[in-house]
mmCIF file of all heavy atoms in Angstrom:
data_model
loop_
_atom_site.group_PDB
_atom_site.id
_atom_site.type_symbol
_atom_site.label_atom_id
_atom_site.label_comp_id
_atom_site.label_asym_id
_atom_site.label_seq_id
_atom_site.Cartn_x
_atom_site.Cartn_y
_atom_site.Cartn_z
ATOM 1 N N ASP A 44 0.857 -1.182 -0.002
ATOM 2 C CA ASP A 44 -0.004 -0.006 -0.003
ATOM 3 C C ASP A 44 0.897 1.240 0.001
ATOM 4 O O ASP A 44 1.623 1.494 0.978
ATOM 5 C CB ASP A 44 -0.883 -0.011 1.244
ATOM 6 C CG ASP A 44 -1.807 1.207 1.338
ATOM 7 O OD1 ASP A 44 -1.702 2.101 0.483
ATOM 8 O OD2 ASP A 44 -2.603 1.252 2.284
ATOM 9 N N THR A 45 0.864 2.031 -1.070
ATOM 10 C CA THR A 45 1.783 3.171 -1.203
ATOM 11 C C THR A 45 1.419 4.327 -0.274
ATOM 12 O O THR A 45 2.199 5.273 -0.162
ATOM 13 C CB THR A 45 1.774 3.699 -2.650
ATOM 14 O OG1 THR A 45 0.462 4.091 -3.007
ATOM 15 C CG2 THR A 45 2.276 2.628 -3.600
ATOM 16 N N THR A 46 0.278 4.276 0.410
ATOM 17 C CA THR A 46 -0.096 5.364 1.315
ATOM 18 C C THR A 46 0.214 5.039 2.788
ATOM 19 O O THR A 46 0.064 5.915 3.633
ATOM 20 C CB THR A 46 -1.599 5.676 1.210
ATOM 21 O OG1 THR A 46 -2.356 4.554 1.714
ATOM 22 C CG2 THR A 46 -2.004 5.916 -0.239
ATOM 23 N N TRP A 47 0.619 3.812 3.059
ATOM 24 C CA TRP A 47 0.751 3.375 4.456
ATOM 25 C C TRP A 47 1.734 4.209 5.247
ATOM 26 O O TRP A 47 1.427 4.718 6.340
ATOM 27 C CB TRP A 47 1.165 1.893 4.500
ATOM 28 C CG TRP A 47 1.221 1.283 5.866
ATOM 29 C CD1 TRP A 47 1.858 1.743 6.963
ATOM 30 C CD2 TRP A 47 0.552 0.085 6.288
ATOM 31 N NE1 TRP A 47 1.695 0.912 8.034
ATOM 32 C CE2 TRP A 47 0.888 -0.121 7.650
ATOM 33 C CE3 TRP A 47 -0.245 -0.853 5.637
ATOM 34 C CZ2 TRP A 47 0.411 -1.213 8.380
ATOM 35 C CZ3 TRP A 47 -0.703 -1.937 6.367
ATOM 36 C CH2 TRP A 47 -0.377 -2.124 7.727
ATOM 37 N N GLU A 48 2.961 4.360 4.752
ATOM 38 C CA GLU A 48 3.992 5.034 5.529
ATOM 39 C C GLU A 48 3.636 6.481 5.824
ATOM 40 O O GLU A 48 3.935 7.009 6.898
ATOM 41 C CB GLU A 48 5.337 4.934 4.802
ATOM 42 C CG GLU A 48 5.878 3.512 4.810
ATOM 43 C CD GLU A 48 7.212 3.404 4.084
ATOM 44 O OE1 GLU A 48 8.183 3.994 4.579
ATOM 45 O OE2 GLU A 48 7.265 2.735 3.050
ATOM 46 N N ALA A 49 3.006 7.179 4.886
ATOM 47 C CA ALA A 49 2.585 8.552 5.123
ATOM 48 C C ALA A 49 1.470 8.617 6.156
ATOM 49 O O ALA A 49 1.498 9.450 7.070
ATOM 50 C CB ALA A 49 2.144 9.207 3.827
ATOM 51 N N ASN A 50 0.506 7.735 6.044
ATOM 52 C CA ASN A 50 -0.638 7.741 6.965
ATOM 53 C C ASN A 50 -0.242 7.314 8.379
ATOM 54 O O ASN A 50 -0.773 7.826 9.360
ATOM 55 C CB ASN A 50 -1.744 6.827 6.451
ATOM 56 C CG ASN A 50 -2.418 7.372 5.209
ATOM 57 O OD1 ASN A 50 -2.480 8.582 5.020
ATOM 58 N ND2 ASN A 50 -2.912 6.491 4.361
ATOM 59 N N SER A 51 0.715 6.386 8.501
ATOM 60 C CA SER A 51 1.105 5.892 9.820
ATOM 61 C C SER A 51 1.918 6.924 10.589
ATOM 62 O O SER A 51 2.070 6.806 11.806
ATOM 63 C CB SER A 51 1.909 4.591 9.683
ATOM 64 O OG SER A 51 3.147 4.815 9.051
ATOM 65 N N SER A 52 2.435 7.950 9.895
ATOM 66 C CA SER A 52 3.224 8.964 10.586
ATOM 67 C C SER A 52 2.404 9.759 11.596
ATOM 68 O O SER A 52 2.952 10.530 12.380
ATOM 69 C CB SER A 52 3.890 9.897 9.585
ATOM 70 O OG SER A 52 2.912 10.627 8.865
ATOM 71 N N VAL A 53 1.088 9.566 11.574
ATOM 72 C CA VAL A 53 0.228 10.233 12.538
ATOM 73 C C VAL A 53 0.649 9.881 13.958
ATOM 74 O O VAL A 53 0.457 10.701 14.876
ATOM 75 C CB VAL A 53 -1.263 9.860 12.293
ATOM 76 C CG1 VAL A 53 -1.523 8.398 12.610
ATOM 77 C CG2 VAL A 53 -2.181 10.727 13.134
ATOM 78 N N ALA A 54 1.221 8.712 14.174
ATOM 79 C CA ALA A 54 1.569 8.307 15.540
ATOM 80 C C ALA A 54 2.758 7.350 15.597
ATOM 81 O O ALA A 54 2.967 6.700 16.613
ATOM 82 C CB ALA A 54 0.367 7.655 16.223
ATOM 83 N N ALA A 55 3.522 7.225 14.528
ATOM 84 C CA ALA A 55 4.677 6.324 14.530
ATOM 85 C C ALA A 55 5.873 7.014 15.171
ATOM 86 O O ALA A 55 5.947 8.241 15.255
ATOM 87 C CB ALA A 55 5.018 5.903 13.095
ATOM 88 N N ILE A 56 6.847 6.208 15.639
ATOM 89 C CA ILE A 56 8.098 6.760 16.126
ATOM 90 C C ILE A 56 8.785 7.459 14.951
ATOM 91 O O ILE A 56 8.801 6.931 13.843
ATOM 92 C CB ILE A 56 8.979 5.649 16.694
ATOM 93 C CG1 ILE A 56 8.284 4.974 17.889
ATOM 94 C CG2 ILE A 56 10.330 6.189 17.143
ATOM 95 C CD1 ILE A 56 9.018 3.792 18.453
ATOM 96 N N PRO A 57 9.367 8.655 15.154
ATOM 97 C CA PRO A 57 9.991 9.373 14.032
ATOM 98 C C PRO A 57 10.989 8.518 13.268
ATOM 99 O O PRO A 57 11.762 7.765 13.853
ATOM 100 C CB PRO A 57 10.679 10.548 14.730
ATOM 101 C CG PRO A 57 9.882 10.786 15.964
ATOM 102 C CD PRO A 57 9.432 9.419 16.408
ATOM 103 N N PHE A 58 10.947 8.636 11.939
ATOM 104 C CA PHE A 58 11.731 7.743 11.088
ATOM 105 C C PHE A 58 13.227 7.894 11.298
ATOM 106 O O PHE A 58 13.987 6.962 10.999
ATOM 107 C CB PHE A 58 11.379 8.000 9.626
ATOM 108 C CG PHE A 58 11.959 9.267 9.050
ATOM 109 C CD1 PHE A 58 13.180 9.256 8.374
ATOM 110 C CD2 PHE A 58 11.301 10.485 9.197
ATOM 111 C CE1 PHE A 58 13.722 10.427 7.868
ATOM 112 C CE2 PHE A 58 11.841 11.654 8.674
ATOM 113 C CZ PHE A 58 13.049 11.619 8.016
ATOM 114 N N ILE A 59 13.693 9.040 11.800
ATOM 115 C CA ILE A 59 15.137 9.192 12.007
ATOM 116 C C ILE A 59 15.634 8.270 13.124
ATOM 117 O O ILE A 59 16.833 7.994 13.217
ATOM 118 C CB ILE A 59 15.518 10.661 12.331
ATOM 119 C CG1 ILE A 59 14.821 11.145 13.599
ATOM 120 C CG2 ILE A 59 15.206 11.556 11.160
ATOM 121 C CD1 ILE A 59 15.291 12.501 14.073
ATOM 122 N N PHE A 60 14.721 7.754 13.979
ATOM 123 C CA PHE A 60 15.087 6.827 15.035
ATOM 124 C C PHE A 60 14.729 5.396 14.677
ATOM 125 O O PHE A 60 15.533 4.471 14.864
ATOM 126 C CB PHE A 60 14.402 7.210 16.349
ATOM 127 C CG PHE A 60 14.827 8.526 16.903
ATOM 128 C CD1 PHE A 60 14.033 9.662 16.731
ATOM 129 C CD2 PHE A 60 16.023 8.672 17.587
ATOM 130 C CE1 PHE A 60 14.429 10.892 17.238
ATOM 131 C CE2 PHE A 60 16.419 9.893 18.109
ATOM 132 C CZ PHE A 60 15.608 11.010 17.925
ATOM 133 N N GLU A 61 13.503 5.172 14.239
ATOM 134 C CA GLU A 61 13.000 3.838 13.954
ATOM 135 C C GLU A 61 12.321 3.836 12.592
ATOM 136 O O GLU A 61 11.125 4.152 12.491
ATOM 137 C CB GLU A 61 12.001 3.383 15.032
ATOM 138 C CG GLU A 61 12.549 3.344 16.451
ATOM 139 C CD GLU A 61 13.227 2.028 16.766
ATOM 140 O OE1 GLU A 61 13.619 1.322 15.827
ATOM 141 O OE2 GLU A 61 13.358 1.700 17.954
ATOM 142 N N PRO A 62 13.042 3.513 11.513
ATOM 143 C CA PRO A 62 12.408 3.472 10.184
ATOM 144 C C PRO A 62 11.266 2.466 10.145
ATOM 145 O O PRO A 62 11.288 1.446 10.868
ATOM 146 C CB PRO A 62 13.563 3.024 9.275
ATOM 147 C CG PRO A 62 14.805 3.410 10.020
ATOM 148 C CD PRO A 62 14.478 3.225 11.468
ATOM 149 N N SER A 63 10.282 2.756 9.349
ATOM 150 C CA SER A 63 9.101 1.905 9.253
ATOM 151 C C SER A 63 9.493 0.509 8.741
ATOM 152 O O SER A 63 10.280 0.362 7.814
ATOM 153 C CB SER A 63 8.088 2.510 8.314
ATOM 154 O OG SER A 63 7.004 1.626 8.086
ATOM 155 N N PHE A 64 8.903 -0.524 9.383
ATOM 156 C CA PHE A 64 9.116 -1.884 8.885
ATOM 157 C C PHE A 64 8.191 -2.204 7.722
ATOM 158 O O PHE A 64 8.401 -3.161 6.998
ATOM 159 C CB PHE A 64 8.880 -2.896 10.013
ATOM 160 C CG PHE A 64 10.045 -3.055 10.930
ATOM 161 C CD1 PHE A 64 10.157 -2.280 12.074
ATOM 162 C CD2 PHE A 64 11.054 -3.969 10.661
ATOM 163 C CE1 PHE A 64 11.236 -2.430 12.929
ATOM 164 C CE2 PHE A 64 12.136 -4.117 11.494
ATOM 165 C CZ PHE A 64 12.233 -3.339 12.643
ATOM 166 N N TYR A 65 7.139 -1.388 7.562
ATOM 167 C CA TYR A 65 6.238 -1.621 6.454
ATOM 168 C C TYR A 65 6.828 -1.002 5.198
ATOM 169 O O TYR A 65 7.288 0.144 5.209
ATOM 170 C CB TYR A 65 4.855 -1.031 6.715
ATOM 171 C CG TYR A 65 3.893 -1.367 5.596
ATOM 172 C CD1 TYR A 65 3.219 -2.579 5.619
ATOM 173 C CD2 TYR A 65 3.721 -0.531 4.521
ATOM 174 C CE1 TYR A 65 2.361 -2.920 4.578
ATOM 175 C CE2 TYR A 65 2.880 -0.858 3.476
ATOM 176 C CZ TYR A 65 2.204 -2.068 3.521
ATOM 177 O OH TYR A 65 1.379 -2.420 2.483
ATOM 178 N N HIS A 66 6.796 -1.718 4.093
ATOM 179 C CA HIS A 66 7.326 -1.215 2.822
ATOM 180 C C HIS A 66 6.239 -1.332 1.757
ATOM 181 O O HIS A 66 5.823 -2.424 1.398
ATOM 182 C CB HIS A 66 8.567 -1.994 2.422
ATOM 183 C CG HIS A 66 9.690 -1.868 3.405
ATOM 184 N ND1 HIS A 66 10.393 -0.699 3.581
ATOM 185 C CD2 HIS A 66 10.210 -2.738 4.283
ATOM 186 C CE1 HIS A 66 11.310 -0.860 4.518
ATOM 187 N NE2 HIS A 66 11.214 -2.095 4.965
ATOM 188 N N GLY A 67 5.809 -0.182 1.261
ATOM 189 C CA GLY A 67 4.806 -0.132 0.219
ATOM 190 C C GLY A 67 5.056 1.041 -0.702
ATOM 191 O O GLY A 67 4.253 1.958 -0.781
ATOM 192 N N ARG A 68 6.204 1.041 -1.375
ATOM 193 C CA ARG A 68 6.594 2.205 -2.166
ATOM 194 C C ARG A 68 6.528 1.939 -3.671
ATOM 195 O O ARG A 68 7.021 2.731 -4.461
ATOM 196 C CB ARG A 68 8.018 2.620 -1.771
ATOM 197 C CG ARG A 68 8.090 3.040 -0.324
ATOM 198 C CD ARG A 68 9.458 3.573 0.058
ATOM 199 N NE ARG A 68 9.474 4.055 1.422
ATOM 200 C CZ ARG A 68 10.528 4.642 1.988
ATOM 201 N NH1 ARG A 68 11.642 4.791 1.305
ATOM 202 N NH2 ARG A 68 10.467 5.065 3.241
#
C-alpha cells in the first residue's frame, strides 16, 4: 500500500530513530 507510511506517521516513532518496517513504495 503506497499510502501506508505517510498515513502511519500520525503516531509512529519518528523515522530518524525507527524506520518503518512496512514497505509499500
Side-chain angles (χ1 to χ4, degrees):
D44 179 356
T45 59
T46 67
W47 185 308
E48 290 180 65
N50 291 331
S51 67
S52 64
V53 67
I56 298 175
F58 75 94
I59 60 173
F60 295 101
E61 300 274 21
S63 173
F64 279 91
Y65 184 85
H66 298 290
R68 298 185 176 183

